[in-house]
Amino acid sequence: MILLIDNYDSFVFNLARYFERLGQSTQVVRNDAIDVAGVRALQPQAIVLSPGPCTPQEAGSTLEVIRSLKDEFPMLGVCLGHQAIAEAFGGRVVRADEPMHGRTSPVLHEQQGLMAGLPSPVTACRYHSLVVEAESMPAELVIDAQLEDGTVMALHHRTRPIFGVQFHPESVLTDVGYPILVNFLQAAGISIDGATPTIDSERRSVAAVSRVGAGMIVEGIVTTLNEDGSPNISPMGPVVDEALTRFRLRPFQTSTTFKNLKRTGEAVFHVVDDVELLAKAAVGEVTPAPDTVPAEAVDGGILTSACRWYALRVSTLDDSEARAEIETEVVDQGRLRDFFGFNRAKHAVVEAAILATRVGILPAEEIRREIQRLKVPVEKTGGPQEHRALAFLTSYIGHALGEKVLASEQAAVRGVTLHVSTPSRLHCGMLAFGEGAARQFGGLGIMIDRPRVKLRVSPGERLQTEGPLAERVTEFARLATTQADGAPRAKIEVLEAPPSHVGLGSGTQLAMAVAAGMAALEGLPYDDVVELSRRVGRGKRSSVGMHGFAGGGMILEGGKRGTRDFGPLLSRVALPEEWRFVLLLPREGAGLSGAAEVKAMNALPSVAVDVTAEMCRTLLIELLPAALEADFDTFADRLDYFGHLAGACFSSVQGGPYAEGIAAESVAILREFGGRGIAQSSWGPGVFCVCPDEHAAEDLSSRLPHHPAMESRELIVAKADNRGAVVRVDLN
């Protein structure tokens, strides 16, 4: 039996099917439903570690299984599984230069490991945004395949039957999937019964699902002109020939599309990657109408958001059946932009849109079951657009099935619970303020993964807030709502919240989290951080927290100019995963805020131009390059220097580069124990230092509590958050 550890990815079932076609029995188990003892108890012939939408550290028992069982069972890692093997043996997993989702690449190799006996290059399909860093490859592992730029695509262990491939052998776009799995089975000493399937047979079986007659179905959107000249927008899967010169449309005679085609004989077909538009078009609720421009060769409109378009003219029309057969010819075509591609979340939304059109045809229980299945890939791999689209379709289906949906009367997204989680913000200092500054404020900040703001937002008949900071949440919700009467209709629960006014930017993160949750609940975009900030009145001085909410990382923002609301994002750097931040926060007391902060800012002298120049030089020439190159020593040294420079600009108010009292004492404690890259965050009294890895952070945090002054301080170890806020949608 082949045990497949599922890292929450639907591709695991493709892998299982491939192995089953090779005569193997399989068992699929989720990564959080089995541990090392459970694997041993099953005694599989081999272990396959599946792809997944996270990092190896977040992949349940995967790393533990590799480290504990590497000498007991043959192993194959695919995509995330491949990365986990490298990390388990001491390699580094880093962000790829370019995310790849459903795209093929030529993979070069020297016919070793799983690539033995295969031509070079091979064509392989890739779905990943992380890669194994070639320079950090452990001595036990050998690189078997790479891209032209050196990106690692396959590896094996020098003495054990342990293999990894970054690409997907189970994809029909990979030419050599079956031979690679055969090589693995042979290396694992597992016999194969019968002939090996070919990729051609796999592609034929897949194509049989989507081919009709002599053509293939292509999903997209058709626009036709209504009698009043307005556009009719409808999703459709026409049958097309390989040359894309003839499209066979098959609308029902009851549809507006059919009536318009019969009347005008013309249409425009669009290739799109906007699944939210597809979802709304599927159920006839596209309001307001998307932007179009007139087509030249036919009477019709071209969607400006489309990737490609084809102007069609009817050649024959057969309406002898309820579903008409309309043959059309392409008379003009054009490209507006690159096709983004479809990841698993987008595919799931398309399937859900089809389900929405089958209400009343398919059994209700089957539709409910399918929606629950489609929810998983959207949760794991979807962005804001996919979450909104699936929430919209779920609401539509619920109402169509006559089910009670708990939501406010005018909420556009119903039947959902939203979970919003944000990182905390360390503010390392401002660049300029006062008279003579070309821009006001600006500065450097770092987003860290803990402590976090965590909210649960669900529909309600009125506003209810629970948990810590409930009063502030109430204030932010009233500012954020777009309800006509200004009355939020939601239940907002604060599950976690950092302490206020200690330098973690908790006010901005809480406000943005509430605004994002309210926007999503009311059917509005929740990834427009500028609009969210305006609604809740944040970013009046620093825009670091706003930009950090959007995407995490180390943030450099350029400050405000004139009457502009927010400072522009100049740089966002993803800090190395292994670096750690050790924070010292007061158990009692807080930094300046509110009216006291405004008074203090007004009392500060202007920052000298040469001081601003030196801070900018330090950031652009030293600190940012060190972060990009993972040069810890330079980063720590320059961060300490920058923090001191920036803090000195506030000396007249806070008594020195670091706030008098607990903040300055905390800095002294960190220096005494060898801390590096020390800085005060915002007004303090929280301070922090940076460590090169988890071991160094553990060593420092184990020694610090022995200092007598630590009784009044809380110690937190965090790592950089390179993602920003996360909004997860649960379908009720």
Side-chain angles (χ1 to χ4, degrees), residues 207 210-217 238-242 248:
S210 58
R211 285 188 176 274
V212 177
M216 184 173 65
I217 292 177
V239 181
V240 304
D241 63 355
E242 291 187 2
R248 186 192 313 153

Side-chain angles (χ1 to χ4, degrees), residues 572-608:
R572 184 197 309 279
V573 178
L575 293 178
E577 291 286 329
E578 64 270 21
W579 289 2
R580 295 294 185 270
F581 295 85
V582 176
L583 285 65
L584 297 187
L585 304 178
R587 297 189 185 278
E588 296 182 0
L592 295 177
S593 63
E597 182 181 6
V598 173
K599 181 179 179 180
M601 288 297 301
N602 291 336
L604 287 170
S606 300
V607 179

Side-chain angles (χ1 to χ4, degrees), residues 428-429 431 444 446 554 579 581 613-629 631-647 658 671 675-680 688 690:
C428 308
L431 298 174
L444 181 76
I446 297 169
M554 184 169 75
W579 289 2
F581 295 85
E614 176 62 9
M615 286 193 285
C616 290
R617 187 201 65 80
T618 301
L619 291 177
L620 297 178
I621 304 301
E622 298 176 326
L623 189 62
L624 289 179
L628 287 165
E629 295 171 354
D631 178 356
F632 175 80
D633 290 336
T634 301
F635 180 87
D637 179 71
R638 296 295 85 187
L639 180 62
D640 197 303
Y641 177 64
F642 177 82
H644 190 278
L645 274 179
Y658 312 105
R671 294 205 191 285
R676 303 180 63 189
I678 300 171
Q680 174 179 302
F688 65 93
V690 61

Side-chain angles (χ1 to χ4, degrees), residues 321-333:
E321 302 290 340
R323 192 168 189 177
E325 296 269 345
I326 303 176
E327 296 287 350
T328 68
E329 296 179 355
V330 176
V331 295
D332 195 10
Q333 60 180 287

